Amino acid sequence: MGLNNGKVETLMSDFLRKSGGVAVIDGGFATELERHGADLNDPLWSAKCLLTSTDLVRQVHLDYLEAGADIIITASYQATIQGFGAKGFSKEESETMLKRSVDIACEARNVYYERCSNSASTFTSDGKILKNRPILVAASVGSYGAYLADGSEYSGDYGDAMDLEFLKSFHRRRVQVLAESGADLIAFETVPNKIEAQAYAELLAEGIKIPAWFSFNSKDGVNVVSGDSLIECAEVADSCPKVVAVGINCTPPRFISGLIQSIKKITTKPILIYPNSGENYDADLKQWVKNTGVPDEDFVSYVNKWCEIGASLVGGCCRTTPNTIKAICRTLPSRSSYMA
Ligand SMILES: [Zn+2]
């Protein structure tokens, strides 16, 4: 076992200890860019802003840090070499764009640390949190379904012909580039099925030098969106030494407690959760629509319960905002010490 392995495996436990046991992940990234006027109706979705609006990308990262997030997730969710290629970019240019997503997040972290050291208090009059603390940059990898940009990250249905080698070769170079980019870890987000989890696990074993988290999505509170067993998906993550946290994102808040209970039966790794606002994505309309089922009242009121039953990383996904993250920080006992 090389030097790096030791560091890889303890990154998250060290970070959580320094963060007081619970760490805060940022909130919706793409939907926050949209709230600021970005038009993401494009196969690249949020990654389009890596081409057109890098200042806005940096600003949204900074807004989340100032709202109290300890982990910021890069704009690379839908950034793929194949997706950039379809727009006429060369392989080299596409790789530069992937690296840029990490550079921008690291720049935001540097600006934030500067603001912290120049500020007399940790809580400014306009409600910003300027507290020097460990901050991680997580390089986002969205699924093959996200690249397809047809909503299939919410169906997980890649057809019967899909195979593991295809998915591995689809993601391989992207994962290698992000792993060498200066990010602290890779966030495999919104993983919709078991075969994609297996592909990621096998890619990590190909000499990737940074750790990763696996975060699945569910639309029934029992299985992942494809209908594959969440337990089996989480077992894939659990068996992978470089995976330092397992959990759920972009899933309605009302399902989260049950999903945490399932995951904790099969792993002792830290559990992460960052639900969406409880609305559903309509792939045809390309819009988030209110669901007609059980209402998801302000999910912040559930956060301490989720931590009591086993979550140690909490944030928000689509349609959540810096205000959501601020409210999460305010409600966590370990964080309220430096909140006004
Ligand atoms: Zn989401």
Side-chain angles (χ1 to χ4, degrees), residues 136-308:
L136 298 180
V137 169
S140 173
V141 171
S143 65
Y144 174 66
Y147 153 79
L148 293 177
D150 61 358
S152 48
E153 81 254 55
Y154 298 106
S155 74
D157 183 1
Y158 293 169
D160 293 340
M162 180 51 67
D163 70 64
L164 193 58
E165 288 310 315
F166 174 87
L167 286 175
K168 281 166 67 182
S169 65
F170 176 80
H171 287 293
R172 181 173 287 110
R173 185 63 194 146
R174 175 192 196 195
V175 169
Q176 286 168 348
V177 170
L178 290 172
E180 301 290 332
S181 64
D184 299 295
L185 76 158
I186 298 176
F188 292 107
E189 304 187 88
T190 331
V191 185
N193 54 33
K194 186 175 167 189
I195 191 171
E196 199 147 29
Q198 286 165 324
Y200 293 146
E202 292 187 19
L203 286 179
L204 285 174
E206 292 180 2
I208 294 297
K209 293 203 176 63
I210 62 174
W213 81 41
F214 280 20
S215 179
F216 299 93
N217 57 334
S218 171
K219 55 190 177 195
D220 62 4
V222 180
N223 297 312
V224 302
V225 290
S226 66
D228 288 345
S229 149
L230 171 64
I231 301 282
E232 287 177 23
C233 288
E235 277 168 351
V236 172
D238 184 61
S239 64
C240 187
K242 284 185 191 120
V243 172
V244 291
V246 188
I248 299 290
N249 75 294
C250 217
T251 292
R254 63 186 177 280
F255 295 143
I256 297 295
S257 291
L259 295 166
I260 295 171
Q261 305 279 14
S262 302
I263 296 171
K264 86 173 177 197
K265 282 189 197 132
I266 62 95
T267 191
T268 55
K269 294 187 199 255
I271 296 177
L272 65 106
I273 54 115
Y274 51 113
N276 59 29
S277 60
E279 295 154 296
N280 292 325
Y281 187 70
D282 184 316
D284 297 325
L285 294 173
K286 293 198 183 297
Q287 266 176 18
W288 291 87
V289 286
K290 290 253 173 258
N291 70 59
T292 48
V294 194
D296 289 295
E297 320 92 65
D298 178 14
F299 82 62
V300 173
S301 58
Y302 309 142
V303 164
N304 284 311
K305 183 179 173 231
W306 294 337
C307 293
E308 273 162 35

Side-chain angles (χ1 to χ4, degrees), residues 48-59:
K48 182 185 162 199
C49 291
L50 295 171
L51 307 171
T52 57
S53 341
T54 51
D55 287 347
L56 178 60
V57 172
R58 194 179 301 101
Q59 185 57 49

